[in-house]
Amino acid sequence: MATETAAATASQCVNSYGGAIGLPQLCPDWMGNQIFWLLVTLVVIFFVLSRIALPRIAAVLAERQGTITNDIAAAEDLKVKASEAEAAYEKALADARSNANDIIAETKAGIKADLDEAMAKADAEIAAKTAEGEKAIDEIRANALESVKDVAKDTAKEIVAAMGGTADAKTVNAAVTSQMKG
């Protein structure tokens, strides 16, 4: 009779050896017990999450959001500063180019003035040397003309003497002078 009561108390979910038949979680005899422990477990998980885990997660998320917001604000500030620095750089570059062009213009003007001065000095020296040269050429022409006259007079006297004639100096001078004039 003990085996019959044991069999009667055993449900359709357990075999005669005490092993489960089929899926024990789907056995209707054990459903109430499973639902109770499911509710206890969910309540414990809810309290653990709501009191410990969720506040920590919320704090981490808030910290991350604050960090992201601060980083974005800092990035905007750096962007503005970079824009200002670029504008200052462009202005300095333009000023440097302008100054360089001014220096180039001043240097060119100085070189041109020096060159003009040197050219004027060289032209003056050339003009002075040309005048001296022309004066020397005029002197040489005058001396050469006088020398030619002297040679012509001497030659004329010698020719007349060689031909057996006599010529006085006045006649020779008059003949040479008239021939020299053309």
Side-chain angles (χ1 to χ4, degrees):
M1 193 137 151
T3 56
E4 286 180 21
T5 44
T9 58
S11 67
Q12 58 188 350
C13 298
V14 179
N15 62 16
S16 61
Y17 300 110
I21 299 171
L23 293 172
Q25 62 269 28
L26 296 179
C27 182
D29 293 341
W30 296 340
M31 277 288 179
N33 193 18
Q34 289 179 358
I35 290 173
F36 171 76
W37 287 111
L38 175 67
L39 291 176
V40 169
T41 305
L42 289 176
V43 168
V44 169
I45 290 173
F46 173 76
F47 281 117
V48 168
L49 287 177
S50 67
R51 303 283 185 228
I52 298 172
L54 291 178
R56 289 181 184 174
I57 292 171
V60 168
L61 289 176
E63 182 182 341
R64 283 185 181 176
Q65 185 62 37
T67 303
I68 290 170
T69 304
N70 290 341
D71 288 348
I72 290 173
E76 289 295 325
D77 289 343
L78 291 175
K79 184 178 178 183
V80 168
K81 287 180 183 178
S83 173
E84 291 171 357
E86 183 180 9
Y89 169 75
E90 292 295 331
K91 184 181 182 298
L93 188 61
D95 291 344
R97 284 185 182 148
S98 175
N99 289 342
N101 288 336
D102 292 345
I103 291 170
I104 289 171
E106 289 175 9
T107 304
K108 282 183 179 179
I111 290 172
K112 187 171 183 342
D114 292 344
L115 184 62
D116 289 345
E117 182 181 328
M119 289 291 282
K121 185 177 178 181
D123 287 344
E125 289 177 7
I126 290 171
K129 288 191 181 199
T130 303
E132 288 176 12
E134 287 177 1
K135 185 177 176 184
I137 289 172
D138 288 343
E139 288 177 7
I140 291 171
R141 279 186 187 159
N143 289 339
L145 192 57
E146 289 299 319
S147 296
V148 168
K149 281 184 183 179
D150 290 342
V151 169
K153 288 176 188 175
D154 290 342
T155 306
K157 280 185 191 177
E158 292 295 323
I159 291 175
V160 170
M163 293 180 91
T166 61
D168 63 28
K170 190 174 185 183
T171 308
V172 172
N173 282 342
V176 170
T177 304
S178 69
Q179 284 299 317
M180 293 289 276
K181 287 184 181 178

